[in-house]
mmCIF file of all heavy atoms in Angstrom:
data_model
loop_
_atom_site.group_PDB
_atom_site.id
_atom_site.type_symbol
_atom_site.label_atom_id
_atom_site.label_comp_id
_atom_site.label_asym_id
_atom_site.label_seq_id
_atom_site.Cartn_x
_atom_site.Cartn_y
_atom_site.Cartn_z
ATOM 1 N N GLY A 265 -6.154 -8.848 -5.382
ATOM 2 C CA GLY A 265 -6.957 -7.678 -5.073
ATOM 3 C C GLY A 265 -6.128 -6.493 -4.620
ATOM 4 O O GLY A 265 -6.426 -5.346 -4.969
ATOM 5 N N TYR A 266 -5.073 -6.764 -3.856
ATOM 6 C CA TYR A 266 -4.264 -5.663 -3.332
ATOM 7 C C TYR A 266 -3.598 -4.873 -4.459
ATOM 8 O O TYR A 266 -3.432 -3.658 -4.352
ATOM 9 C CB TYR A 266 -3.201 -6.195 -2.368
ATOM 10 C CG TYR A 266 -2.577 -5.109 -1.536
ATOM 11 C CD1 TYR A 266 -3.210 -4.639 -0.396
ATOM 12 C CD2 TYR A 266 -1.369 -4.519 -1.906
ATOM 13 C CE1 TYR A 266 -2.651 -3.617 0.366
ATOM 14 C CE2 TYR A 266 -0.809 -3.490 -1.149
ATOM 15 C CZ TYR A 266 -1.460 -3.047 -0.016
ATOM 16 O OH TYR A 266 -0.913 -2.026 0.722
ATOM 17 N N PHE A 267 -3.221 -5.549 -5.532
ATOM 18 C CA PHE A 267 -2.518 -4.859 -6.620
ATOM 19 C C PHE A 267 -3.438 -4.424 -7.753
ATOM 20 O O PHE A 267 -2.992 -3.727 -8.666
ATOM 21 C CB PHE A 267 -1.413 -5.764 -7.174
ATOM 22 C CG PHE A 267 -0.238 -5.906 -6.244
ATOM 23 C CD1 PHE A 267 -0.141 -6.992 -5.392
ATOM 24 C CD2 PHE A 267 0.745 -4.935 -6.196
ATOM 25 C CE1 PHE A 267 0.935 -7.119 -4.517
ATOM 26 C CE2 PHE A 267 1.822 -5.051 -5.329
ATOM 27 C CZ PHE A 267 1.911 -6.143 -4.483
ATOM 28 N N THR A 268 -4.708 -4.804 -7.710
ATOM 29 C CA THR A 268 -5.608 -4.459 -8.822
ATOM 30 C C THR A 268 -6.868 -3.725 -8.382
ATOM 31 O O THR A 268 -7.585 -3.203 -9.236
ATOM 32 C CB THR A 268 -6.021 -5.728 -9.602
ATOM 33 O OG1 THR A 268 -6.734 -6.620 -8.722
ATOM 34 C CG2 THR A 268 -4.807 -6.441 -10.174
ATOM 35 N N GLU A 269 -7.154 -3.684 -7.074
ATOM 36 C CA GLU A 269 -8.390 -3.062 -6.599
ATOM 37 C C GLU A 269 -8.056 -1.967 -5.578
ATOM 38 O O GLU A 269 -7.688 -2.260 -4.441
ATOM 39 C CB GLU A 269 -9.305 -4.108 -5.948
ATOM 40 C CG GLU A 269 -9.702 -5.239 -6.880
ATOM 41 C CD GLU A 269 -10.493 -6.307 -6.154
ATOM 42 O OE1 GLU A 269 -11.158 -5.970 -5.140
ATOM 43 O OE2 GLU A 269 -10.455 -7.476 -6.587
ATOM 44 N N PRO A 270 -8.179 -0.718 -5.955
ATOM 45 C CA PRO A 270 -7.867 0.376 -5.020
ATOM 46 C C PRO A 270 -8.672 0.312 -3.726
ATOM 47 O O PRO A 270 -8.182 0.708 -2.666
ATOM 48 C CB PRO A 270 -8.208 1.628 -5.834
ATOM 49 C CG PRO A 270 -8.061 1.199 -7.268
ATOM 50 C CD PRO A 270 -8.493 -0.228 -7.312
ATOM 51 N N ALA A 271 -9.900 -0.184 -3.781
ATOM 52 C CA ALA A 271 -10.736 -0.236 -2.585
ATOM 53 C C ALA A 271 -10.146 -1.172 -1.538
ATOM 54 O O ALA A 271 -10.248 -0.913 -0.329
ATOM 55 C CB ALA A 271 -12.150 -0.677 -2.942
ATOM 56 N N LEU A 272 -9.524 -2.252 -1.974
ATOM 57 C CA LEU A 272 -8.912 -3.176 -1.023
ATOM 58 C C LEU A 272 -7.674 -2.554 -0.385
ATOM 59 O O LEU A 272 -7.458 -2.670 0.824
ATOM 60 C CB LEU A 272 -8.539 -4.487 -1.728
ATOM 61 C CG LEU A 272 -7.933 -5.580 -0.838
ATOM 62 C CD1 LEU A 272 -8.858 -5.911 0.318
ATOM 63 C CD2 LEU A 272 -7.643 -6.834 -1.652
ATOM 64 N N ARG A 273 -6.885 -1.875 -1.161
ATOM 65 C CA ARG A 273 -5.699 -1.210 -0.624
ATOM 66 C C ARG A 273 -6.095 -0.104 0.364
ATOM 67 O O ARG A 273 -5.395 0.146 1.345
ATOM 68 C CB ARG A 273 -4.872 -0.635 -1.766
ATOM 69 C CG ARG A 273 -3.576 0.009 -1.332
ATOM 70 C CD ARG A 273 -2.748 0.429 -2.526
ATOM 71 N NE ARG A 273 -2.198 -0.703 -3.237
ATOM 72 C CZ ARG A 273 -0.908 -0.877 -3.512
ATOM 73 N NH1 ARG A 273 -0.037 0.017 -3.118
ATOM 74 N NH2 ARG A 273 -0.499 -1.912 -4.172
ATOM 75 N N ALA A 274 -7.233 0.528 0.123
ATOM 76 C CA ALA A 274 -7.684 1.625 0.983
ATOM 77 C C ALA A 274 -8.115 1.145 2.359
ATOM 78 O O ALA A 274 -8.374 1.979 3.243
ATOM 79 C CB ALA A 274 -8.834 2.365 0.319
ATOM 80 N N LEU A 275 -8.178 -0.158 2.587
ATOM 81 C CA LEU A 275 -8.472 -0.674 3.920
ATOM 82 C C LEU A 275 -7.329 -0.406 4.897
ATOM 83 O O LEU A 275 -7.503 -0.541 6.110
ATOM 84 C CB LEU A 275 -8.727 -2.185 3.861
ATOM 85 C CG LEU A 275 -10.015 -2.658 3.182
ATOM 86 C CD1 LEU A 275 -10.002 -4.165 3.022
ATOM 87 C CD2 LEU A 275 -11.234 -2.212 3.989
ATOM 88 N N PHE A 276 -6.152 -0.040 4.374
ATOM 89 C CA PHE A 276 -4.975 0.159 5.211
ATOM 90 C C PHE A 276 -4.513 1.616 5.126
ATOM 91 O O PHE A 276 -4.657 2.262 4.081
ATOM 92 C CB PHE A 276 -3.845 -0.770 4.751
ATOM 93 C CG PHE A 276 -4.262 -2.220 4.701
ATOM 94 C CD1 PHE A 276 -4.664 -2.800 3.508
ATOM 95 C CD2 PHE A 276 -4.271 -2.994 5.850
ATOM 96 C CE1 PHE A 276 -5.061 -4.123 3.457
ATOM 97 C CE2 PHE A 276 -4.661 -4.318 5.818
ATOM 98 C CZ PHE A 276 -5.060 -4.886 4.624
ATOM 99 N N PRO A 277 -3.935 2.155 6.199
ATOM 100 C CA PRO A 277 -3.444 3.536 6.159
ATOM 101 C C PRO A 277 -2.417 3.711 5.042
ATOM 102 O O PRO A 277 -1.647 2.784 4.752
ATOM 103 C CB PRO A 277 -2.791 3.711 7.538
ATOM 104 C CG PRO A 277 -3.431 2.691 8.410
ATOM 105 C CD PRO A 277 -3.725 1.520 7.513
ATOM 106 N N PRO A 278 -2.392 4.869 4.403
ATOM 107 C CA PRO A 278 -1.460 5.092 3.290
ATOM 108 C C PRO A 278 -0.008 4.801 3.648
ATOM 109 O O PRO A 278 0.739 4.249 2.832
ATOM 110 C CB PRO A 278 -1.671 6.568 2.944
ATOM 111 C CG PRO A 278 -3.066 6.860 3.386
ATOM 112 C CD PRO A 278 -3.292 6.024 4.611
ATOM 113 N N GLU A 279 0.402 5.131 4.880
ATOM 114 C CA GLU A 279 1.797 4.924 5.270
ATOM 115 C C GLU A 279 2.143 3.447 5.470
ATOM 116 O O GLU A 279 3.325 3.093 5.565
ATOM 117 C CB GLU A 279 2.116 5.708 6.542
ATOM 118 C CG GLU A 279 1.275 5.352 7.746
ATOM 119 C CD GLU A 279 0.005 6.184 7.854
ATOM 120 O OE1 GLU A 279 -0.481 6.683 6.806
ATOM 121 O OE2 GLU A 279 -0.494 6.355 8.986
ATOM 122 N N ASP A 280 1.132 2.563 5.525
ATOM 123 C CA ASP A 280 1.385 1.128 5.697
ATOM 124 C C ASP A 280 1.319 0.359 4.380
ATOM 125 O O ASP A 280 1.687 -0.828 4.328
ATOM 126 C CB ASP A 280 0.350 0.518 6.656
ATOM 127 C CG ASP A 280 0.445 1.082 8.061
ATOM 128 O OD1 ASP A 280 1.380 1.861 8.332
ATOM 129 O OD2 ASP A 280 -0.429 0.741 8.879
ATOM 130 N N GLN A 281 0.849 0.997 3.327
ATOM 131 C CA GLN A 281 0.526 0.257 2.113
ATOM 132 C C GLN A 281 1.749 -0.308 1.401
ATOM 133 O O GLN A 281 1.706 -1.426 0.873
ATOM 134 C CB GLN A 281 -0.285 1.154 1.161
ATOM 135 C CG GLN A 281 -1.673 1.469 1.707
ATOM 136 C CD GLN A 281 -2.450 2.444 0.849
ATOM 137 O OE1 GLN A 281 -2.036 2.775 -0.281
ATOM 138 N NE2 GLN A 281 -3.567 2.937 1.363
ATOM 139 N N ALA A 282 2.848 0.408 1.408
ATOM 140 C CA ALA A 282 4.049 -0.090 0.741
ATOM 141 C C ALA A 282 4.563 -1.358 1.419
ATOM 142 O O ALA A 282 4.988 -2.312 0.755
ATOM 143 C CB ALA A 282 5.134 0.985 0.733
ATOM 144 N N GLU A 283 4.502 -1.406 2.744
ATOM 145 C CA GLU A 283 4.952 -2.585 3.474
ATOM 146 C C GLU A 283 4.041 -3.785 3.202
ATOM 147 O O GLU A 283 4.511 -4.915 3.056
ATOM 148 C CB GLU A 283 5.014 -2.296 4.974
ATOM 149 C CG GLU A 283 5.275 -3.508 5.852
ATOM 150 C CD GLU A 283 6.554 -4.248 5.512
ATOM 151 O OE1 GLU A 283 7.461 -3.656 4.893
ATOM 152 O OE2 GLU A 283 6.643 -5.442 5.835
ATOM 153 N N HIS A 284 2.743 -3.549 3.116
ATOM 154 C CA HIS A 284 1.829 -4.640 2.777
ATOM 155 C C HIS A 284 2.129 -5.189 1.378
ATOM 156 O O HIS A 284 2.106 -6.408 1.160
ATOM 157 C CB HIS A 284 0.385 -4.165 2.854
ATOM 158 C CG HIS A 284 -0.156 -4.062 4.247
ATOM 159 N ND1 HIS A 284 -0.290 -5.150 5.076
ATOM 160 C CD2 HIS A 284 -0.585 -2.993 4.965
ATOM 161 C CE1 HIS A 284 -0.782 -4.765 6.241
ATOM 162 N NE2 HIS A 284 -0.973 -3.456 6.200
ATOM 163 N N ALA A 285 2.392 -4.302 0.443
ATOM 164 C CA ALA A 285 2.720 -4.737 -0.916
ATOM 165 C C ALA A 285 3.977 -5.595 -0.916
ATOM 166 O O ALA A 285 4.027 -6.677 -1.530
ATOM 167 C CB ALA A 285 2.892 -3.532 -1.831
ATOM 168 N N ARG A 286 5.009 -5.122 -0.228
ATOM 169 C CA ARG A 286 6.257 -5.878 -0.156
ATOM 170 C C ARG A 286 6.039 -7.255 0.470
ATOM 171 O O ARG A 286 6.529 -8.277 -0.017
ATOM 172 C CB ARG A 286 7.280 -5.103 0.673
ATOM 173 C CG ARG A 286 8.664 -5.754 0.734
ATOM 174 C CD ARG A 286 9.420 -5.346 1.984
ATOM 175 N NE ARG A 286 8.749 -5.800 3.191
ATOM 176 C CZ ARG A 286 8.811 -7.055 3.646
ATOM 177 N NH1 ARG A 286 9.504 -7.981 2.991
ATOM 178 N NH2 ARG A 286 8.169 -7.404 4.757
ATOM 179 N N SER A 287 5.273 -7.298 1.560
ATOM 180 C CA SER A 287 5.037 -8.552 2.260
ATOM 181 C C SER A 287 4.257 -9.539 1.400
ATOM 182 O O SER A 287 4.574 -10.736 1.361
ATOM 183 C CB SER A 287 4.281 -8.267 3.564
ATOM 184 O OG SER A 287 4.029 -9.454 4.272
ATOM 185 N N HIS A 288 3.225 -9.061 0.698
ATOM 186 C CA HIS A 288 2.446 -9.944 -0.179
ATOM 187 C C HIS A 288 3.345 -10.600 -1.232
ATOM 188 O O HIS A 288 3.257 -11.809 -1.487
ATOM 189 C CB HIS A 288 1.342 -9.148 -0.875
ATOM 190 C CG HIS A 288 0.128 -8.926 -0.030
ATOM 191 N ND1 HIS A 288 -0.416 -9.890 0.781
ATOM 192 C CD2 HIS A 288 -0.662 -7.827 0.117
ATOM 193 C CE1 HIS A 288 -1.487 -9.420 1.394
ATOM 194 N NE2 HIS A 288 -1.656 -8.160 1.007
ATOM 195 N N VAL A 289 4.187 -9.799 -1.852
ATOM 196 C CA VAL A 289 5.052 -10.330 -2.912
ATOM 197 C C VAL A 289 6.060 -11.323 -2.334
ATOM 198 O O VAL A 289 6.300 -12.396 -2.913
ATOM 199 C CB VAL A 289 5.776 -9.181 -3.642
ATOM 200 C CG1 VAL A 289 6.754 -9.738 -4.670
ATOM 201 C CG2 VAL A 289 4.759 -8.262 -4.327
#
């Protein structure tokens, strides 16, 4: 969901999103 659904990514502040992506992977 984090990589395919913008609504799920929008649950987090924009400045935190890159770190969440890195951590998930």
Side-chain angles (χ1 to χ4, degrees):
Y266 195 82
F267 288 97
T268 62
E269 301 175 27
L272 182 56
R273 183 174 289 234
L275 290 171
F276 306 97
E279 59 270 25
D280 296 354
Q281 292 175 10
E283 171 57 22
H284 282 297
R286 184 205 63 79
S287 180
H288 279 319
V289 176

